[in-house]
Amino acid sequence: MKTPARLLCIGECMVELSPAGDDKFRMGFAGDTFNTAWYVKQLLGQNWRIGYASCVGTDAVSERMLAFMREAGIDTDHVRQLRDRTAGLYMIQLENGERSFSYWRGQSAARMLADESDWLDRAFSGADVLFYSGITMAILDDPARERLSAALARARARGALTVFDSNMRTQLWNGPDAMRAGIMQGAAQADVVLPSFDDEQDAFADTTLGAVARRYREAGAKLVVIKNGAGKILVSRHDGEDFSFAPDPVRDVLDSTAAGDSFNAGFLSAYLQGADVREAVARGAEVAAKVVRAPGALVTV
């Protein structure tokens, strides 16, 4: 029997409080790279093994989070448990389908995920694909960010495909200059970059999708797919002409949480199974359209 290929997502899973009506909230577990892992697990076949690399605590909520991951079929072999830490928490507020977040992550164990280079190398050693994000970079201090970047570079050198979503949260960074530097540090280790145009406009003052694509291509990416809300998606490849893809309009948007994360999963699920880039982008848009019609970060697709 063929050994399943392995995709490892790296980052922070948090306790999520999402609106449940009448000023009540529902508890769940989510976080950008974990959301992508959760959706990819639904979408990829049995020939793929999906894992998560992070740190959690040893308290009850961390144990419940680990159980949730395992029940979803996500491998937790590379989730370390730290006694003096816990899981971060965030609360979603919605207005006209658009989300805003409040965070409590001062004792988040995930901030320690890159404290040991040897552990990173062991976690990455069996992975065919490594997926990480701007938030993965943002929650680390400068030395840990260097260790993660070096481990990604070593994995890339041995043949792993590295995929980066530049997902930006300004409040996690020590100012805009630090954010720009950290994002480009993450991009420098990526074969595939999946940015969002609104983030790039705000952070880098890019005025066109083409400018975003050029910056990431110059950083070393072989493929850049720029998400653009309801607008046209731009695809830029090192071995071909750029092209745009216009997703079908999405009506009845209920909650835009995890729109980009689920797009990433839809795109990767097709791309990693041999679809051409246009088909993979269409699959990403299709999955995201389903997700934004339902509440919360994680819905069945």
Side-chain angles (χ1 to χ4, degrees):
M1 182 179 294
K2 183 180 178 181
T3 302
R6 182 166 168 245
L7 186 155
L8 185 69
C9 297
I10 308 148
E12 180 180 31
C13 185
M14 303 181 72
V15 178
E16 177 195 76
L17 299 180
S18 58
D22 298 324
D23 291 326
K24 295 178 181 178
F25 288 82
R26 179 186 303 106
M27 190 182 90
F29 301 105
D32 67 334
T33 57
F34 176 76
N35 299 345
T36 296
W38 194 87
Y39 283 111
V40 166
K41 180 60 185 176
Q42 289 189 58
L43 296 167
L44 274 176
Q46 295 301 311
N47 289 332
W48 282 86
R49 180 182 174 192
I50 312 303
Y52 202 63
S54 189
C55 294
V56 299
T58 57
D59 55 333
V61 73
S62 295
E63 293 288 356
R64 188 168 171 183
M65 178 184 289
L66 284 171
F68 177 79
M69 292 181 183
R70 291 165 184 152
E71 288 166 6
I74 295 171
D75 181 356
T76 61
D77 287 354
H78 299 297
V79 180
R80 287 189 296 147
Q81 291 188 265
L82 307 178
R83 291 188 179 182
D84 59 344
R85 293 277 174 157
T86 186
L89 180 148
Y90 72 96
M91 181 171 66
I92 301 171
Q93 299 280 2
L94 290 173
E95 184 173 350
N96 298 322
E98 290 300 318
R99 68 207 189 283
S100 61
F101 300 93
S102 298
Y103 291 95
W104 295 265
R105 67 196 332 156
Q107 290 299 308
S108 170
R111 290 180 176 271
M112 318 299 286
L113 73 86
D115 276 11
E116 299 178 14
S117 293
D118 289 347
W119 180 84
L120 289 171
D121 286 339
R122 288 194 300 273
F124 295 178
S125 63
D128 300 283
V129 182
L130 295 166
F131 177 79
Y132 60 108
S133 75
I135 293 177
T136 310
M137 303 297 289
I139 63 174
L140 306 176
D141 62 22
D142 289 345
R145 203 175 296 125
E146 290 287 349
R147 285 190 291 271
L148 176 61
S149 296
L152 288 164
R154 289 190 292 272
R156 191 183 188 190
R158 64 149 175 86
L161 179 74
T162 51
V163 184
F164 178 61
D165 180 346
S166 61
N167 199 3
M168 301 181 208
R169 296 289 184 270
T170 56
Q171 64 268 39
L172 294 177
W173 295 93
N174 186 24
D177 289 340
M179 181 173 70
R180 286 188 288 268
I183 292 299
M184 295 313 297
Q185 183 180 9
Q189 308 306 330
D191 295 305
V192 179
V193 180
L194 303 170
S196 295
F197 186 47
D198 55 352
D199 280 352
E200 305 298 327
Q201 284 180 299
D202 292 342
F204 291 93
D206 291 313
T207 57
T208 66
L209 280 76
V212 177
R214 283 191 296 275
R215 178 160 42 80
Y216 286 121
R217 288 275 308 281
E218 288 170 0
K222 298 180 176 112
L223 173 64
V224 182
V225 178
I226 305 171
K227 294 163 284 189
N228 190 24
K232 289 184 178 180
I233 297 164
L234 180 69
V235 177
S236 180
R237 298 178 293 186
H238 76 289
D239 59 352
E241 295 291 330
D242 293 359
F243 68 86
S244 296
F245 176 87
D248 293 334
V250 180
R251 297 177 177 83
D252 302 321
V253 173
L254 179 63
D255 182 353
S256 60
T257 305
D261 307 331
S262 58
F263 174 92
N264 296 340
F267 172 83
L268 287 171
S269 68
Y271 186 70
L272 295 176
Q273 294 183 97
D276 68 30
V277 177
R278 191 177 294 274
E279 291 172 335
V281 170
R283 182 61 172 144
E286 177 188 349
V287 172
K290 292 179 181 178
V291 169
V292 298
R293 294 190 182 103
L298 304 180
V299 302
T300 300
V301 294

